[in-house]
Amino acid sequence: MTVAGADSPVTLQSDPFYTPPTGWDSKAPGTVLNSRPVEVASMGPQALDADAWQLLYRSTDADGLPMATVTTVLRPRGGEIKGLVSYQAATDASAPQCAPSVALRQGAPDQYDSSLDLMTIEQVLSTGHAVSVPDWEGPKGVLFSARQPGYAILDGVRAAERFEPLALSGVDTPVAALGYSGGGFGTGWAAQVQPTYAPEVRLVGVAVGGGRAQLASYLKGLNAGPFAGFLPSLLPGVMRSDPRVATAFGNHLTPAGQALLARGDSKCVTANVGQNAMLNMDDYLTIPFSQVMDQIQTSIDSWEFQPESATPPMFVYNAVHDEIVAIAEADRMVAQWCAAGARITQVRDQLSEHVALAITGTAATLRWIDERLAGQPVTDGCATRTVTSMALDGA
């Protein structure tokens, strides 16, 4: 079964752009291996009014081995570029057509899944910043793995800084990272690994929205609920992240369960969620889903963030009544990082739910990012505010 193979590649192999040239694996991380101009979609019928390219670049996977992946880089037309924002899309699926380098392009078949991403990218460009949107799941479409998302994000930044048409200032470029929901998971890893993996990158601020839950609790909480459709979307990528996880599920999936995940592995998250509400994974396994999760607990615990004091300043925002990621999980993550000496501004929004906050929280988040890219300092320590609405209170 394809989804049970931890080494199963999901890259669009029919497109030769994704195949790195001979000798690519001996290059330094962040080396641009190939590039091409592209048109990125907008919320309207026309392509986005920005210059855009795709860069194939060398990065590193969770095992420390060479990996080649793609970032879509954009710059506003006209004017000086003030900084670079690495934006991590909440792909939440590992089918090839769901990767940002495919889904963001003008005319892509699954454009609906990218609607929130396109809105955010346009807003970042309007503030005078260049944007890097990496395929942070990598060529195998792994989800929730440790370290690899951070490596892919930071090497995408390195590639962008080296790509002359973007006209950045090399390692002097101020950089911020932003991700919401699933994209926030990868963004958090960029904050953690930057001090040791890419110390030359001027990562001045990291914004993470929509939660960061303990993975086992999060997946168990989805089962048999209104958002259970995330499971056939997420599990194939989770299984690719670790062969022990793939084996545990492979041992207990029924033929119907294998077919369910194979279908989920071929679709993007909106279709999976819409078609699988209230799905109970117990019906597709020979033992209860919770018991399978218990079997892989040790493996997935190793994917959790390990708080470090050296991380860049962070802005963390969540909906108090988030129906997908419990606010208690976000509060727990912030408490852990703050105890380790991190500098965090946390905002808790009382009116929004998960999807709404992705829209209503963007303006305040981008103001915080703009201040960091402009060189405004942050206060040491942590501060938490609970507001009625980030849109109304300005956060």
Side-chain angles (χ1 to χ4, degrees):
M1 182 179 61
T2 301
V3 294
D7 295 322
S8 302
V10 297
T11 295
L12 288 172
Q13 298 297 341
S14 59
D15 186 341
F17 179 78
Y18 290 84
T19 302
T22 302
W24 68 273
D25 50 349
S26 64
K27 304 295 184 181
T31 299
V32 178
L33 305 172
N34 201 357
S35 65
R36 64 182 177 187
V38 293
E39 283 192 332
V40 172
S42 70
M43 293 302 293
Q46 305 299 320
L48 187 64
D49 185 22
D51 296 320
W53 301 264
Q54 288 181 341
L55 311 179
L56 178 71
Y57 61 97
R58 196 273 207 197
S59 190
T60 306
D61 69 12
D63 296 318
L65 300 175
M67 175 185 82
T69 192
V70 173
T71 185
T72 303
V73 295
L74 309 94
R75 59 165 289 151
R77 293 187 171 128
E80 183 179 356
I81 303 300
K82 297 190 290 184
L84 174 66
V85 176
S86 182
Y87 173 72
Q88 286 60 250
T91 306
D92 291 334
S94 52
Q97 73 271 19
C98 312
S101 63
V102 179
L104 294 178
R105 294 185 65 178
Q106 180 76 341
D110 286 282
Q111 210 81 77
Y112 180 80
D113 279 70
S114 302
S115 298
L116 293 176
D117 300 322
L118 293 171
M119 291 171 58
T120 303
I121 290 168
E122 287 197 60
Q123 290 182 69
V124 174
L125 290 168
S126 71
T127 62
H129 304 302
V131 185
S132 171
V133 191
D135 290 1
W136 57 271
E137 294 180 16
K140 294 178 182 177
V142 300
L143 279 168
F144 301 122
S145 66
R147 299 177 299 280
Q148 175 182 302
Y151 298 159
I153 293 164
L154 294 166
D155 287 328
V157 168
R158 285 167 161 163
E161 290 178 344
R162 296 168 181 173
F163 187 60
E164 290 187 5
L166 271 183
L168 300 177
S169 301
V171 295
D172 293 327
T173 305
V175 178
L178 164 64
Y180 189 84
S181 192
F185 175 85
T187 304
W189 273 111
Q192 177 159 327
V193 304
Q194 180 270 334
T196 54
Y197 184 77
E200 83 285 1
V201 171
R202 272 186 69 195
L203 188 58
V204 297
V206 175
V208 176
R212 169 62 180 107
Q214 197 278 337
L215 183 57
S217 297
Y218 168 60
L219 295 176
K220 287 179 182 179
L222 291 172
N223 193 40
F227 298 97
F230 275 105
L231 291 172
S233 197
L234 296 171
L235 287 176
V238 173
M239 291 162 67
R240 289 192 183 93
S241 297
D242 191 313
R244 295 169 295 180
V245 175
T247 298
F249 274 96
N251 288 340
H252 297 293
L253 281 167
T254 65
Q258 294 177 9
L260 171 74
L261 294 194
R263 289 193 302 272
D265 201 27
S266 69
K267 301 173 184 175
C268 295
V269 65
T270 302
N272 278 317
V273 172
Q275 295 168 10
N276 293 285
M278 312 308 294
L279 177 143
N280 191 335
M281 284 300 300
D282 291 359
D283 299 333
Y284 298 90
L285 294 159
T286 58
I287 63 174
F289 178 62
S290 61
Q291 291 185 20
V292 179
M293 296 305 301
D294 290 342
Q295 290 181 11
I296 64 174
Q297 184 78 51
T298 301
S299 298
I300 61 178
D301 279 352
S302 66
W303 306 349
E304 294 296 316
F305 296 141
Q306 301 298 319
E308 296 179 3
S309 60
T311 55
M314 297 183 69
F315 182 84
V316 178
Y317 60 109
N318 300 87
V320 172
H321 303 292
D322 194 309
E323 73 282 26
I324 296 177
V325 180
I327 187 66
E329 291 285 342
D331 291 343
R332 178 184 64 84
M333 180 196 76
V334 169
Q336 286 180 331
W337 284 54
C338 290
R343 293 167 291 171
I344 296 180
T345 299
Q346 181 188 20
V347 180
R348 304 163 87 253
D349 183 299
Q350 291 182 312
L351 281 185
S352 301
E353 46 74 58
H354 189 82
V355 175
L357 188 61
I359 300 171
T360 60
T362 298
T365 304
L366 291 184
R367 281 196 298 273
W368 184 90
I369 286 176
D370 204 47
E371 291 171 356
R372 304 291 79 74
L373 291 173
Q376 295 185 31
V378 296
T379 304
D380 287 340
C382 293
T384 296
R385 293 176 56 213
T386 299
V387 301
T388 302
S389 167
M390 289 180 68
L392 299 176
D393 294 77

